[in-house]
Each structure stands twice: as structure tokens, then as C-alpha cells.
Amino acid sequence: MVARGSALVEASAGLLAFAAAAALLQVAVSPGESPAPAAQTVAPSAPPPSIGPDFDDDRRLASKAAAVASYTIRAALDASTHQLRGSAVISWKNGSAAAVRELWLHLYMNAFKNDQTLFLRSPYGAGRSGARAHAFGYIDVKKLTARELGGRDLWPSADRHSPGEPDDQTDIRVPLPDAVAPGARLTLDVEFVVQLPEIVERTGHSGSFHFVAQWFPKLARLEPDGTWAHFPFHAQSEFYADFGDYEVELDVPDGFVVGATGQRVSEQAGGGRRKLRYRAESVHDFAWTAWDGFRERRDTVAGVAVRLLHPPGHELTAERTLEAIRFGLPHFNRRYGRYPYPVLTVVHPPRAGRAAGGMEYPTLITTGGAWYYPLVGVRALESVTLHELAHQWFYGLVATNEHVWPFLDEGLTSYAELHALQAAYAHTSLAVLPGFGVSIESGHRALAAGRARDEAIAAGASRFENFSALGALVYSRTATVLATFANVYGEAKVASAIGRYARYHRFQHPSPKHLVAALRETLGPEAARALEAALFERGTIDYVVSELVNARARRPAGVFDRKSGRETLLPDHDGAGGDWRARISVYRYGELELPVEIELTARDGSRQRRRWDGRGTWTALHYRGKSPLVAARVDPDRRILLDDNLFNNARSAGSEHTPRVLERAVYWSELSLAVFGP
Amino acid sequence: MTPCPPERIRARRRPGAVALLWAARLLASLLVAWPIAGVFGALGAGRGAERDAVLFEPGALFLLEALRLGDRALLAGLQSAAFSWAVFALLLLVPMAALLVALAHEGRLELGAWLGTALHHVPRFLLLAGITLLGQALLVVVFALAYGGIQRLWIGRASERSADLLSVAWFGLAAAGVLLFSVLQDLARAASVTRQERASDNLVHAVGVLRARPGRVLGTWLVVSFVGIAVVALAAWAVDATHVERPETWRVVTVALTHQLAALALAALRAAWLAFSLRAVGARASAAF
């Protein structure tokens, strides 16, 4: 449904129709049952008491979003100057409880206007790509009027720059002549010109390749309490916006293949140019690409029309990408709710435009990677495809504030990607080398380990020291936290929690407390406490086997006063024939308390396991058997991936040499001497 | 010591010398590898009932942990190992010279005379190694410097894949040149043992041998190389089937034996190639060659 000026009337009619249907069908909402969240205009301000099993499947899935900010855009691309001339009609509703006297506009493209913007200012290449700009870009708003406020041009009275940032123009306040009451709608007409930069990060051009993202004047989201969630474009930050419907007409030169958010609804050719119209409902962004070098593949996966655009020579990577989509779409549908859109566009940028790769937009994702990746056993292609596809749920459908809580989309997406890759490829989910496999789980753990103290996982994007820290914590450590909890408490429980969270909050803007509440519901309060410590308090855990001492069990010796009289027992010095006893001390360092098993191995090969709930800072285990204890290992099944140091999880009674390492190093040295030596 | 007629020079006639080369490589590798294994041991990789089998578990959880925790120590260990490796590579010229001398002579070799003769050739072998290394380095530099200009021929005209394959072909040419230098070095060493001339004369003679029968020389080298690759691949397959990530000691022993059989086979292949080189320089363009 496209929101137009009479959206209020349409919404009211819809509500009346729903009420009538409910009365006719005598549908009753029973106590304890969450009402089906149809298109909601605001997210609940408090966690729901219980999401419940109703959201373990798609029965009560919201079918579309309430349209808060809808855009009708026209833009024409000049492929020689890499400029866009555009106009837009923005239909916006004040869904908050407060009247507003100003608007805030995201002009993200101004991040590339000069090298003193917040985005490009760092001399150390703070962005994800680390690249510097060569040809700058910007967006100029020429005119901004509000039909309901007299149609006067509001742009001259807009602030000239972002608050506190004189050289940054990405976060602009526009005062309004009159207040906009709660529930009222505003229709804005805006004209703008965009100069695309040479691609630095995500958006721009390289030769005739254009990737156009964050390119139009975009309203910031107004929160239910009437505060604007506005922010300047930081190099480590992403985006946040309201849902709405988009109708976009793109005017491009003939010969350019175009991919865009949404579904193409019409096409007109003439005068050496083509006009393509796209429609996307219930989304919060619109991106597109145009290049005269794309090749195209199409497929239908789980009822979704998939269109893949790739450079020449990438036939093998195209097939691998489609394989990943064929696996991922049904997989994520089952876990997080059915993908609601009819189309999905996948863009593999050419090498020169690779900075546009690895990114997500509603119904459009960009991948990337060299044509030879499938040949060398690296699963980078599958990884980026599944990651960006998972973003359709965590970012696209559950539209959290990526600036304030990047972990809510990147962390959940990384976990979704991890789970999908593990399901598809097990221990070779990151790389498959001759005789050797590396799992994505191991990869994420290695990236995240040792960084827990740097910053809280749940910190805002600009709080991290650099993108390396953000990546290690927001992406990898979140995935490792969730994988650990799945290992300890049960994968089915974690899957159920995240599935319920994703389904219930579809088309909404939840916060971390909603995620924690969903996990508390299935894992219990203790696990939820540990989760909060891990996410918000830089919580860590390190199990250590600190001591393993064997001794022969000797019979008692000395003078004993029994009831029958005094008894003197001589010491049994060698303890020959007696059992063996051992004491094992295990410590838990860090803030997280997770239950764990400890495996004891005796010399005769027998093994036994003990369980510790992880409470307290240490525990002692006692062993008695015919054979001495030779080793003890905490977490023998490698469940607690969050453990800071895996090598102190074990202790041996005897030597701790490394025969396999020595043997392998000797052999490789011999090989190298045979090849490179005399 | 009695020189062996070229037509009778065969590696299989000198198993002891082949074993000496293998044993020398093994000893050198033990000394090179020991500090590396020590770093892993210091990290705690040998703890627990499984010992360092954990490093070989599918998924590489513990291996990545070792690389993470021990990155600086491992780097230092590798640098030290690289230095040791270079020193031992030079010292291995002695058993290599001993192998060549043994192949070039027939009958029983008296230990003192044999090793003395071998040591006599080592300085010339060092010089040949230096010249070869210099030539290879110059070749690589020239190819690298020319690459920028060559690349402009296909940038913008070829797809990414074609451009990459052209780059691979360019550096493949460089690699072929580097290998050619190695072939010439071996021929020159053989000439040094049989003809007792100066290093420059031996090199000239080696070039002459290659020019006389390039197909035969390069073909033999390629066959020996491919057989060597097959040996290594077969050993890798056998080792993979042994599942060394499991804790039983017999698996480590089996893997060690498999690897040493492969190392011995490589020493034998080296000897076979050197025997061919001796035949080639000893009877250039004759029936024996």
C-alpha cells in the first residue's frame, strides 16, 4: 500500500474493518496471549511480558509496516559527470506523543564533501575500508517545502552544518514555522543535486560503475517520546530510519544495467535513456546501482525472485553466490520468519568498486570477492552473502538503531551467518585447505578473544577506538557470546529466543532490552544475567585448572582410641596395592558464571566427568581410583567459546610436550630444504 | 677413488649416500624445528590427555588460539628458525657434495678420502650458490619492475579474471626462469665434480649441456619434480587418513614414519636427478647421455 495524503483515512478504515472482522469471527484475545502485532507505528516502550510460543512460527507475523516516512523520488543520472538531479515527495507522520517544531535530515552523502568531515577526518583511515577520498562528493538541497505549513521554502532557515561540527553537513536541523501535532502528517517537497564521489565507502562511482546509497535527503527517525534520533555520519556508524513505502523513478543512459531496492514496475525507453520505476513497500531505505558492465543471473528461491548482477569473468562466483542464497533464504525463513518481499537483488561489484561490497539495503545486498575464491577453498563469498542476506532480518525487518546499538544488527547477523555456515559446512565453514578446515566459529572466537576489556559490546558505534575494535566486539564477540550460550543452554532455546524476537519485532525498532527479554524467556534469569554482563559490562570468563596432585591412598596410621581400646597402626609407606587419590583445583576468573563440565582422565584410559555450576571463584574436585589421574580438562566439549584462554583449561600430571608439532615442523623443514636447499 | 663411467652413474648404486643426505636433512630440521615446538609447549598446547592433538582438531579452534596467544613468541621463534634454516641449508652443501662425489665414483669409498673430496668441492658450490641466487634475484627484480608497464597492456581491456591470469602467466615466466637457474646450478655442480674446473667454466659447460639437449634435460627435471610432488601428495593423503587429531600415540608414530618415508623418497629423487646431471656433463651428446 502506498501512503498518500489520505493515509490517516485509510488507516482508520483499516482499523474499523479489523474490528468488524473480529466481531464477526468472535476472535477473543485470551489472557497471557500477545495480540498479533499488525503494522505498528511505534515500538513498545517496555519489553513485552512474554512473547511466547505463538512467535515460534509465522502464524502471527506482521505482514507490513505502518508507513511513517514514505518517499516518492525521481532522479536522473549523468554518467559522465556522475551527478544526480533529483526531487522527492516525503510523506511523514508524527508518530510520537509530542508536537515537533523541527525536522532533522540525514544528508549522508556530505560525508564525502571534504576531508574535514566527521567521516573522513581521521588521518588514520577510520572507515571500514580505510581508504582516502580522491574525488569528493556531496548532496545539495536546493529547496524544501512543507505543503501543510504554507509551502514556504524551509531550506534557507536550516542549520548550515551538523551540531558542533562546522565542516560536517550530514546532520541538519530544519526549524518549522509551526508545530506538527502528534498523529499529524507532513508532506515535504525537496529538490536536490548529488555529486557522487569516487567510491570510498559504499557509495559513489568508479569509472562507469555507480553504486548509489545514502543519496537522498532522509528524515531522521522520531522516537515515541518526541526526541529525534539524529546523528552525524561517523565513519564507524551506520543508519536508522522509519519504515515507509518507496516509489522511485530512475533515469539512466541506455546500456546501463540497473539493480535497485524493490520491484521494477515499469520501464520506458527513449532519447538514448531509460526511465525505470521501482516500488518497495515496508522498507526504510533505497539503494541502487547502474553499470554498463554487469552480467545477470536470475533464480527463484523460496518464492522470491532473485536477481544477481556480477562483473564479467565471475561466472563461478555467481553460481556460488546463488548456492548460498538457495541455502540461506529457506534457512533464515525457518529461523527468523518468512522473508516478506517478492524480490531480492544481489550485486557483486567490480574490483574497482569493491568498496561498495559487503553491504545491506532493503531487498538489495552487495557481496564481493575475487573470481578465484571458490578455487582456493576460502569461503569468503559464502560468508559475505549469508551475512548480508541475514541483514534483511536484522536491520531490514527488525530496524534497530545502528548508530547507538550496532551489535543489535551486526552481532545478531554475525551469529545468524555463523549458524548458517556451520550448518552448511561444519568445521570447514571459514576455509577448507588440504587436509585442514577452519570453522567460522573458531574464526570469530579468535578475533574476539582478548578484546573484551576494550569496550562494551553494546556501546555506540562511535565509542569504539577504531573499526578493528568494533569488528572484534560488535561482530565477532556478539556471535561468540550467542554461540557460547547456545552450546551451554541449548541451541534450540537460543534459536527459539532469537526467532521469537525477530518475528515479534518485525517492522519495529526494538532496543537491547527486548533482545535480553526474549532470551530470558527461554534461557532463564541466570543466563539472562550472564548475557547482560557479557553485552553491557565487558564480562569475561576464564576457567583454569590450577592444580592436579596425585597421591596413593594410604590406610590410616597412628594411635587411635577406639571403643574397643587403643589401636596402633603402622604407616603404610609405599601404599602398595592402595587406590590412587587426586585433588584438582579449578578456578573461574571473570564476571560470567556459566556451568561447565570437567573431565578427568586416568592412566588406564578411563574417563569421568564432573559438573560445576560456575558459582564462586573456585572449586576442588576429588578423585579416587585404581589408576592415577594423568590429566584434567575443563570444558572438554569446547562449549564455552568465550573462555579467554583455552590452554589453561587443562593440566597434566606428567610432561606436557608437543610431539605432533615437533614432527610436523621437522617435516615442513625437510620439505623446504628439499625444495629450496641444496 | 675410481671415477665412474658416465653411462653407469645411477643413484641406486649409492643408497648409503642417499641415506646420508636424508639423515643430514632430518638432523638439520630437528634443530630448526625444536624451538618452534618449544613455543607451542610453553603456551600449554601439550596439556591434557590429548596433548597437542587439540591443535589438529577439525575447525582449528585451538590452532587459532595458539596463533593468537603466541603470535609474538611464534614470530620470534620463526625468525630464529629461519636463520637456523639458512645456516643449515649452507651446511647441507657438505652431504650434497658427498652424494655427488659418491655418485661420480665407483667401488668402495674410503670414508676419509670421500669426505675430504666432498669438502674440497664445497667452496666452489658456495660460489655457484651465490651466483645462482644473485641471478634469480635479478630476474625477479626485472620482472617485477616490468610488471607495471606490462599490466597497462591489459588494464581496461580484459576482464578481472583475464587480467589476473595474465599476471599469473607473467610471474609464471619469472618462476620458470628462477627454476632454470637452479637446473643450471645442478649441472654446474656436476661439472665441478667431474671436470674439476673453475666455477665460471662449470657454468659455461652447464649452459652448453642445456643447449645441446634442452628437451632431455628439462624433461628429466620435470619428471623428477612431478614424481616428488606426487610423493608429497600421497604422504599427505596417508597422513590425513591417520587422523592425528585423535590422542593415540600410534597415530603420531605412523605419521612420523610416513613423513620420513616421503623425505627419504625426496632424497632419492634428488640423487636420481644429480646422477642424471653427472651423466649429462660427463658425456655431453654421447650415448651415455
Side-chain angles (χ1 to χ4, degrees):
Chain A
M1 181 182 79
V2 175
R4 302 211 191 273
S6 57
L8 192 57
V9 172
E10 290 172 349
S12 303
L15 281 170
L16 279 171
F18 176 80
L24 278 171
L25 293 170
Q26 296 183 4
V27 172
V29 177
S30 57
E33 187 181 67
S34 305
Q40 292 193 17
T41 57
V42 294
S45 58
S50 169
I51 297 177
D54 278 354
F55 289 90
D56 283 339
D57 53 46
D58 292 353
R59 280 173 295 158
R60 305 190 67 181
L61 212 52
S63 57
K64 60 193 186 106
V68 176
S70 296
Y71 294 75
T72 304
I73 305 174
R74 279 201 165 88
L77 171 68
D78 184 329
S80 55
T81 61
H82 314 293
Q83 264 199 5
L84 287 165
R85 294 204 160 270
S87 63
V89 177
I90 308 173
S91 171
W92 175 76
K93 177 181 175 180
N94 179 359
S96 78
V100 294
R101 294 191 163 278
E102 62 193 16
L103 301 175
W104 283 86
L105 281 181
H106 290 299
L107 301 178
Y108 291 117
M109 193 62 76
N110 280 334
F112 308 103
K113 193 167 186 177
N114 56 65
D115 61 7
Q116 297 306 303
T117 63
L118 187 60
F119 194 99
L120 290 180
R121 191 157 69 212
S122 167
Y124 309 108
R128 287 162 196 251
S129 69
R132 313 301 306 159
H134 300 289
F136 296 98
Y138 51 84
I139 177 170
D140 278 341
V141 174
K142 299 298 188 189
K143 193 175 177 181
L144 175 68
T145 62
R147 295 180 193 176
E148 292 81 357
L149 298 179
R152 196 178 86 214
D153 189 356
L154 302 171
W155 194 245
S157 57
D159 289 352
R160 293 297 101 195
H161 55 79
S162 308
E165 293 282 345
D167 292 316
D168 187 280
Q169 293 171 311
T170 60
D171 181 28
I172 301 298
R173 188 183 71 98
V174 183
L176 297 175
D178 294 307
V180 180
R185 274 212 174 266
L186 209 57
T187 308
L188 301 165
D189 292 278
V190 58
E191 290 170 19
F192 58 96
V193 172
V194 176
Q195 174 63 55
L196 291 173
E198 202 174 293
I199 262 191
V200 175
E201 202 149 309
R202 303 191 189 109
T203 189
H205 71 92
S206 177
S208 61
F209 170 76
H210 299 79
F211 197 89
V212 188
Q214 314 308 335
W215 58 287
F216 54 93
K218 200 165 178 199
L219 281 172
R221 171 170 156 78
L222 183 67
E223 297 290 7
D225 63 1
T227 57
W228 285 98
H230 69 94
F231 44 87
F233 194 8
H234 189 279
Q236 285 158 202
S237 176
E238 290 188 304
F239 316 106
Y240 186 41
D242 277 309
F243 283 98
D245 299 328
Y246 283 68
E247 186 141 338
V248 179
E249 182 184 278
L250 301 172
D251 182 340
V252 299
D254 257 343
F256 275 69
V257 177
V258 174
T261 294
Q263 205 167 13
R264 189 181 295 182
V265 294
S266 73
E267 182 172 342
Q268 274 181 295
R273 296 186 70 89
R274 287 155 65 225
K275 284 186 184 171
L276 310 167
R277 235 169 20 101
Y278 289 85
R279 182 176 296 147
E281 295 179 5
S282 300
V283 296
H284 49 74
D285 199 1
F286 188 97
W288 57 286
T289 184
W291 187 34
D292 54 3
F294 275 130
R295 302 288 185 266
E296 189 172 328
R297 289 277 307 268
R298 289 179 188 260
D299 199 354
T300 303
V301 180
V304 175
V306 177
R307 184 171 176 240
L308 168 62
L309 303 177
H310 65 89
H314 275 259
E315 288 70 27
L316 190 54
T317 57
E319 184 52 39
R320 284 290 178 95
T321 302
L322 283 175
E323 277 174 18
I325 299 286
R326 287 178 199 127
F327 174 79
L329 252 180
H331 181 85
F332 294 141
N333 278 349
R334 277 191 301 273
R335 286 175 72 83
Y336 311 122
R338 189 183 44 81
Y339 177 80
Y341 307 107
V343 296
L344 175 71
T345 301
V346 183
V347 179
H348 188 131
R351 186 173 291 168
R354 61 185 174 275
M359 190 54 190
E360 68 280 0
Y361 307 91
T363 78
L364 185 151
I365 62 174
T366 65
T367 59
W371 60 270
Y372 51 79
Y373 276 4
L375 302 173
V376 298
V378 176
R379 301 225 193 262
L381 195 61
E382 292 88 335
S383 173
V384 72
T385 302
L386 287 169
H387 183 95
E388 303 312 333
L389 180 63
H391 264 307
Q392 294 301 302
W393 282 263
F394 303 110
Y395 148 85
L397 294 168
V398 182
T400 50
N401 188 330
E402 296 185 298
H403 178 72
V404 176
W405 302 301
F407 89 97
L408 275 181
D409 72 298
E410 294 297 354
L412 281 172
T413 294
S414 297
Y415 177 66
E417 170 208 348
L418 178 155
H419 186 274
L421 282 168
Q422 292 277 121
Y425 302 112
H427 63 269
T428 66
S429 46
L430 186 59
V432 52
L433 305 164
F436 189 75
V438 183
S439 73
I440 184 83
E441 210 172 60
S442 304
H444 273 308
R445 187 204 165 270
L447 284 172
R451 302 298 298 263
R453 297 294 186 197
D454 292 357
E455 184 54 85
I457 287 173
S462 55
R463 286 280 306 268
F464 295 92
E465 181 199 350
N466 50 39
F467 188 72
S468 166
L470 184 148
L473 289 166
V474 165
Y475 289 70
S476 294
R477 193 158 176 90
T478 310
T480 305
V481 166
L482 292 171
T484 297
F485 278 67
N487 288 342
V488 171
Y489 296 105
E491 204 287 318
K493 287 184 179 174
V494 170
S496 172
I498 299 176
R500 289 180 186 181
Y501 164 83
R503 288 186 178 89
Y504 187 87
H505 293 288
R506 177 170 286 209
F507 300 129
Q508 295 177 19
H509 308 273
S511 67
K513 61 185 177 184
H514 298 102
L515 175 65
V516 174
L519 283 156
R520 179 180 290 115
E521 202 172 294
T522 61
L523 303 184
E526 279 188 21
R529 262 199 300 279
L531 182 70
E532 283 170 329
L535 295 177
F536 302 113
E537 298 161 25
R538 298 187 284 170
T540 62
I541 188 168
D542 186 12
Y543 281 109
V544 180
V545 179
S546 76
E547 191 181 55
L548 191 166
V549 183
N550 274 303
R552 274 279 193 196
R554 292 192 172 82
R555 62 164 188 258
V559 179
F560 299 90
D561 289 325
R562 311 275 190 219
K563 278 184 185 162
S564 54
R566 178 160 287 186
E567 188 182 8
T568 301
L569 295 171
L570 295 175
D572 170 24
H573 289 290
D574 58 8
D579 284 352
W580 284 90
R581 298 167 73 173
R583 177 188 144 108
I584 307 96
S585 304
V586 180
Y587 277 76
R588 180 189 60 77
Y589 298 117
E591 298 79 10
L592 304 181
E593 288 183 357
L594 295 173
V596 74
E597 288 189 319
I598 300 133
E599 184 172 83
L600 309 178
T601 307
R603 184 177 294 165
D604 62 5
S606 61
R607 292 175 190 238
Q608 47 180 272
R609 289 197 179 188
R610 309 280 177 85
R611 188 171 170 82
W612 181 28
D613 60 12
R615 294 199 189 126
T617 51
W618 68 280
T619 188
L621 307 174
H622 297 275
Y623 161 86
R624 188 172 182 129
K626 297 284 181 219
S627 187
L629 206 61
V630 293
R633 178 176 287 283
V634 172
D635 190 23
D637 295 329
R638 311 5 173 169
R639 293 181 192 277
I640 302 180
L641 299 169
L642 281 175
D643 195 315
D644 273 351
N645 183 341
L646 297 178
F647 287 123
N648 61 18
N649 285 13
R651 191 161 282 275
S652 303
S655 71
E656 297 178 343
H657 52 269
T658 54
R660 287 164 184 77
V661 173
L662 179 64
E663 188 283 320
R664 200 60 63 100
V666 165
Y667 179 59
W668 286 343
S669 176
E670 286 179 294
L671 275 186
S672 64
L673 285 169
V675 173
F676 300 109
Chain B
M1 296 189 296
T2 312
C4 183
E7 64 274 11
R8 293 223 300 264
I9 297 176
R10 292 287 185 277
R12 59 178 177 263
R13 293 161 62 97
R14 293 294 187 198
V18 173
L20 176 67
L21 179 64
W22 164 74
R25 283 178 177 169
L26 176 60
L27 179 63
S29 298
L30 263 167
L31 294 170
V32 166
W34 196 271
I36 305 285
V39 169
F40 280 90
L43 286 173
R47 291 183 190 155
E50 314 93 330
R51 298 202 186 282
D52 60 350
V54 296
L55 295 174
F56 295 82
E57 282 179 359
L61 180 68
F62 279 86
L63 179 62
L64 291 185
E65 180 73 329
L67 295 176
R68 180 184 75 85
L69 288 174
D71 59 344
R72 293 205 172 109
L74 276 171
L75 191 59
L78 281 170
Q79 285 170 345
S80 157
F83 178 75
S84 308
W85 185 95
V87 169
F88 285 120
L90 290 175
L91 291 174
L92 280 169
L93 284 172
V94 174
M96 205 271 300
L99 175 61
L100 268 167
V101 168
L103 289 170
H105 295 84
E106 60 181 356
R108 193 180 164 76
L109 296 172
E110 195 268 314
L111 186 64
W114 174 34
L115 291 179
T117 310
L119 283 168
H120 169 75
H121 289 292
V122 168
R124 196 171 301 137
F125 285 5
L126 269 171
L127 181 58
L128 283 170
I131 295 170
T132 303
L133 213 55
L134 190 62
Q136 288 169 331
L138 276 171
L139 185 74
V140 168
V141 165
V142 163
F143 267 77
L145 288 174
Y147 179 61
I150 293 288
Q151 217 185 7
R152 278 192 277 275
L153 289 174
W154 59 70
I155 272 190
R157 294 187 187 86
S159 69
E160 285 172 28
R161 184 176 58 193
S162 302
D164 287 348
L165 289 174
L166 285 166
S167 298
V168 167
W170 178 253
F171 286 106
L173 269 176
V178 166
L179 291 171
L180 198 60
F181 269 98
S182 296
V183 170
L184 284 171
Q185 184 187 206
D186 285 336
L187 290 171
R189 283 169 176 168
S192 169
V193 166
T194 56
R195 297 166 70 90
Q196 308 288 334
E197 290 169 346
R198 292 177 306 178
S200 53
D201 294 330
N202 292 326
L203 272 170
V204 167
H205 191 79
V207 170
V209 166
L210 185 60
R211 285 178 68 183
R213 294 287 294 270
R216 184 82 195 272
V217 171
L218 295 176
T220 304
W221 183 88
L222 278 170
V223 167
V224 168
S225 301
F226 282 131
V227 172
I229 292 170
V231 163
V232 171
L234 191 63
W237 175 83
V239 162
D240 195 43
T242 313
H243 292 291
V244 76
E245 75 276 7
R246 294 175 194 168
E248 295 83 6
T249 305
W250 68 263
R251 298 181 192 272
V252 188
V253 173
T254 305
V255 166
L257 285 173
T258 306
H259 280 156
Q260 292 316 307
L261 272 173
L264 184 59
L266 290 177
L269 284 168
R270 184 93 178 106
W273 162 248
L274 290 174
F276 171 85
S277 302
L278 285 165
R279 291 198 302 275
V281 300
R284 183 170 142 188
S286 75
F289 176 39

